[in-house]
Amino acid sequence: MTTEPMTTAPAAGIDPITASVLQRRVDSVAKEMATMLMRSSRSPIFNEIGDLVTVIFDRNGNTLAQAEFAAIIAFGAHPSLEYIIEYFGDDIHEGDVIIHNDVYHGGNQNADTGIFLPIFAEGQLIGWTAAKGHLADIGGMTAGGYNPNARDIWQEALRIPPLKLAEKGVPRKDVWDLLAANIRFGFVMEDIRAMVGCCTVGARRVVEVVDRYGLESYESHWRYILDSSRRQVEAEVGRWPDGRYHGESFMTSDGVDPEKKYKIAVDIEIAGSDITFDFSGSDDQSPGICNMPPAAAKGAVRIAFLMLMASGGIRIPTNQGLFAPIATRFRKGSIVDPEFPAATIYGNQLCDEVVEAIMLALADALPDRVCAGWNKYMCTATNGIDPRTGEPFAAFTVFQRTGPGGVQGQDGWDALGFTGTAGQMRYPDPEMLEITTPHFLEYNEYLPDSAGSGEFRGGYGTRSAWRTYGEGQIGVTLADNMAHEGAYPARGLFGGRDSGLNELRVEYPDGTRQDWGSKEIIDQPVGTRIVSNAGGGAGYGDPRRRPAAKVLAEVRDGLLSAEKARADYGVVLTADGQAVDEAQTAALRA
């Protein structure tokens, strides 16, 4: 699959080759910023997992390029900058550095804090650089920010409206001290400095590009690039069948009632080259932490839209023009647009439900584009004191990867995980996890029989076990699709089987055991053992259409049991399990 060519006829003075070079040059600057941030930051959340993004905007806040390691954060940066521009107006100067995280004014999650730096050239504002990532702590009632017992925004985090960390090149000591006084971990301040540093380097690189091509040429070519992207997307959406389509997905447990289910519903209207995603029919907001700010919901819509484009072989650089045909609607007071001061720390994770609702809605209209259901998010966050150093720590155990759904012509990727990061956030290296935090990982491997069966099966999930030995250690689950809570599996499509479910068990040093809820905070005494089974994704198409040779290969690899091969796929193996019994298989499939 290749990048679509720029089809817009260039205006006078526009060179398509120069436009292509500029687009790739600015894109490389965004990637350089991300690399610099990961290599200069202190937190494993940044330098190991890559829970961050870097973005370059034009002077009006239009996205030009981004390095989207965590796509849900990347698409949440634009609404934040829109509000910053409105908030400061003309009070933006060379050397200013602005911090922001407020979910009620453009933020997607309070922990996902952004640094925004204006770029000046030839004495005028020409653009912005931004770095946004999940800080290991940002205040609130619990270290790390995740606490299912929170009932409002103030209990979750320090809420930061647009605030200048530096003004006209002079750092504001009072503001830095205010932040440091409300953040538990000293290394978080170093991460913020790393974010400022990468934005500074990014701005310098953009100015170098402007100096080479001239400001007028730079801006006119970027207008051409954005318009070209818009036209290509409009042409693609214009080929989709007009109509109105409905889809629903459900989240189970809100941290208050472990069995309560919330509906995320979307009505999609396609009219020519325009597409509208209306979530007005979604359930009312939760009293707990499971509310999704509109910036995060818009980001989830964009992720689903990119999946649909990519399934059709359409590759367009990620910029503002790519999303020009999209409109979104949310009902104030709903779970995807909560009323202030609702808690929202889990909101990003509803990306799974938003994406699934969109795919189910468009299954009949775009059967060759949609993806079967991804098993929902599975992760734990933990913090405490490392007895080896006496220092505080915070970590995500994101090696608990669930499986995505299958698509026409392709099995789901194994152990890819959360839709909101689309496979770009990394596994933490097991040895680095053990070096930087008080954990011992016993095993981490594919979970056999976890993939939803189909002509194109879902991706396999994972099973893991680890022990904790931090002092005063607590753990928080950030998950859905828990079997013991009665969750609904993700849906298979066109005869494909539904996804697996998730299981999480705590084994305490005194021998007691318990299921760990999907949004529950627990103490983890030294020696606590966690056992995790993260289910796979849903299947696409009738399993009995899957080639028997592929089924045999997975049985021989230990991923699929002979029993499931027979029951779901209609494939019977010989007694030694090394070959297909062709006669019995043909009879069973018939």
Side-chain angles (χ1 to χ4, degrees):
M1 298 178 184
T2 58
T3 302
E4 288 282 293
M6 293 181 179
T7 57
T8 309
I14 297 298
D15 176 19
I17 295 177
T18 299
S20 182
V21 170
L22 273 174
Q23 183 271 315
R24 285 164 173 77
R25 180 69 184 96
V26 173
D27 183 70
S28 73
V29 172
K31 290 180 170 60
E32 180 186 2
M33 291 169 60
T35 300
M36 179 181 178
L37 178 54
M38 284 189 283
R39 292 183 177 178
S40 61
S41 56
R42 289 280 307 281
S43 170
I45 297 173
F46 278 19
N47 54 45
E48 276 293 303
I49 299 172
D51 195 355
L52 55 85
V53 297
T54 49
V55 193
I56 297 173
F57 303 93
D58 70 10
R59 71 174 80 214
N60 299 313
N62 294 310
T63 301
L64 303 184
Q66 61 188 34
E68 51 198 40
F69 284 87
I72 192 72
I73 305 178
F75 297 134
H78 171 250
S80 296
L81 182 56
E82 281 186 314
Y83 182 70
I84 289 170
I85 292 172
E86 175 188 349
Y87 184 88
F88 283 110
D90 294 332
D91 187 22
I92 296 293
H93 309 281
E94 188 169 5
D96 287 354
V97 177
I98 298 165
I99 188 170
H100 172 269
N101 77 349
D102 185 8
V103 297
Y104 286 100
H105 291 100
N108 65 289
Q109 185 191 68
N110 283 336
D112 293 339
T113 301
I115 297 294
F116 297 83
L117 193 149
I119 308 171
F120 279 79
E122 300 182 12
Q124 58 182 302
L125 176 69
I126 66 160
W128 298 78
T129 55
K132 194 169 183 177
H134 189 108
L135 297 182
D137 185 68
I138 195 66
M141 66 192 290
T142 305
Y146 286 104
N147 189 334
N149 297 324
R151 297 294 178 263
D152 60 48
I153 198 71
W154 298 291
Q155 293 177 327
E156 292 189 299
L158 176 65
R159 184 170 162 230
I160 307 173
L163 187 65
K164 290 189 179 181
L165 289 174
E167 194 163 13
K168 298 180 181 178
V170 180
R172 294 196 54 180
K173 184 177 183 298
D174 55 347
V175 176
W176 281 96
D177 288 347
L178 172 67
L179 291 175
N182 285 278
I183 293 175
R184 295 171 175 83
F185 305 147
F187 64 80
V188 171
M189 300 305 295
E190 300 304 318
D191 287 344
I192 294 174
R193 290 185 175 90
M195 295 165 78
V196 175
C198 83
C199 286
T200 302
V201 171
R204 189 180 303 151
R205 296 285 189 266
V206 172
V207 170
E208 291 171 358
V209 174
V210 170
D211 288 344
R212 177 172 181 174
Y213 291 93
L215 180 58
E216 182 178 350
S217 176
Y218 174 84
E219 294 191 325
S220 63
H221 278 85
W222 265 109
R223 285 192 295 271
Y224 167 70
I225 295 167
L226 297 182
D227 185 60
S228 178
S229 294
R230 176 187 61 81
R231 288 174 180 267
Q232 291 174 69
V233 176
E234 287 178 341
E236 175 61 21
V237 174
R239 290 190 281 267
W240 297 357
D242 286 357
R244 189 172 179 86
Y245 311 96
H246 180 80
E248 298 176 357
S249 182
F250 291 85
M251 178 197 71
T252 302
S253 178
D254 57 6
V256 180
D257 181 347
E259 296 183 353
K260 184 172 176 59
K261 293 177 173 57
Y262 287 84
K263 178 177 68 177
I264 289 80
V266 63
D267 289 295
I268 302 173
E269 183 175 3
I270 301 175
S273 61
D274 296 324
I275 183 167
T276 301
F277 299 85
D278 187 345
F279 290 85
S280 301
S282 299
D283 281 349
D284 291 344
Q285 69 189 58
S286 159
I289 62 173
C290 301
N291 298 297
M292 191 178 205
K298 290 177 182 178
V301 170
R302 292 182 171 190
I303 289 169
F305 185 73
L306 283 176
M307 289 182 181
L308 294 168
M309 298 289 286
S311 293
I314 308 299
R315 292 288 190 270
I316 299 174
T318 305
N319 58 46
Q320 203 68 32
L322 178 57
F323 303 110
I326 295 177
T328 52
R329 295 177 189 155
F330 307 103
R331 174 176 61 86
K332 180 60 73 173
S334 71
I335 196 168
V336 288
D337 190 0
E339 295 271 12
F340 176 82
T344 63
I345 193 68
Y346 187 82
N348 277 358
Q349 279 64 44
L350 287 180
C351 182
D352 285 335
E353 285 79 6
V354 170
V355 170
E356 182 175 51
I358 290 171
M359 294 298 172
L360 290 173
L362 295 175
D364 290 334
L366 300 170
D368 58 336
R369 300 294 186 91
V370 294
C371 180
W374 293 41
N375 193 9
K376 306 299 192 298
Y377 189 66
M378 177 74 155
C379 180
T380 63
T382 181
N383 65 77
I385 301 296
D386 191 331
R388 300 168 298 182
T389 63
E391 296 293 322
F393 74 92
F396 284 126
T397 55
V398 293
F399 44 78
Q400 300 162 265
R401 295 291 184 98
T402 56
V407 298
Q408 187 179 75
Q410 177 68 53
D411 294 341
W413 291 95
D414 298 324
L416 195 65
F418 178 42
T419 55
T421 57
Q424 294 154 307
M425 264 174 55
R426 304 179 301 189
Y427 262 89
D429 181 272
E431 292 182 350
M432 286 303 298
L433 177 74
E434 294 174 342
I435 289 170
T436 58
T437 68
H439 291 87
F440 177 77
L441 183 61
E442 294 182 3
Y443 60 83
N444 181 41
E445 59 196 15
Y446 289 137
L447 177 62
D449 283 349
S450 60
S453 304
E455 181 179 5
F456 307 103
R457 63 160 174 80
Y460 281 97
T462 56
R463 58 185 179 190
S464 315
W466 64 95
R467 295 184 184 273
T468 67
Y469 57 95
E471 297 173 353
Q473 186 165 342
I474 63 170
V476 181
T477 37
L478 312 166
D480 196 3
N481 272 28
M482 287 295 193
H484 78 274
E485 293 177 340
Y488 300 143
R491 295 269 298 278
L493 292 177
F494 309 113
R497 302 295 173 87
D498 291 347
S499 76
L501 292 171
N502 298 325
E503 299 174 340
L504 196 61
R505 186 176 71 250
V506 185
E507 300 176 356
Y508 291 105
D510 64 3
T512 59
R513 300 183 177 191
Q514 71 174 58
D515 289 323
W516 194 357
S518 63
K519 301 157 191 79
E520 182 181 9
I521 184 170
I522 63 169
D523 292 326
Q524 295 181 335
V526 173
T528 299
R529 183 171 186 260
I530 311 299
V531 179
S532 167
N533 288 327
Y540 182 109
D542 184 351
R544 299 200 174 201
R545 294 177 61 88
R546 186 171 180 82
K550 287 188 175 182
V551 177
L552 171 64
E554 292 191 4
V555 173
R556 295 175 66 175
D557 287 342
L559 294 172
L560 182 68
S561 67
E563 293 76 17
K564 187 171 182 176
R566 182 181 186 121
D568 286 10
Y569 292 102
V571 174
V572 183
L573 305 184
T574 56
D576 61 2
Q578 297 302 302
V580 175
D581 186 318
E582 301 289 352
Q584 289 197 56
T585 296
L588 186 58
R589 286 189 159 189

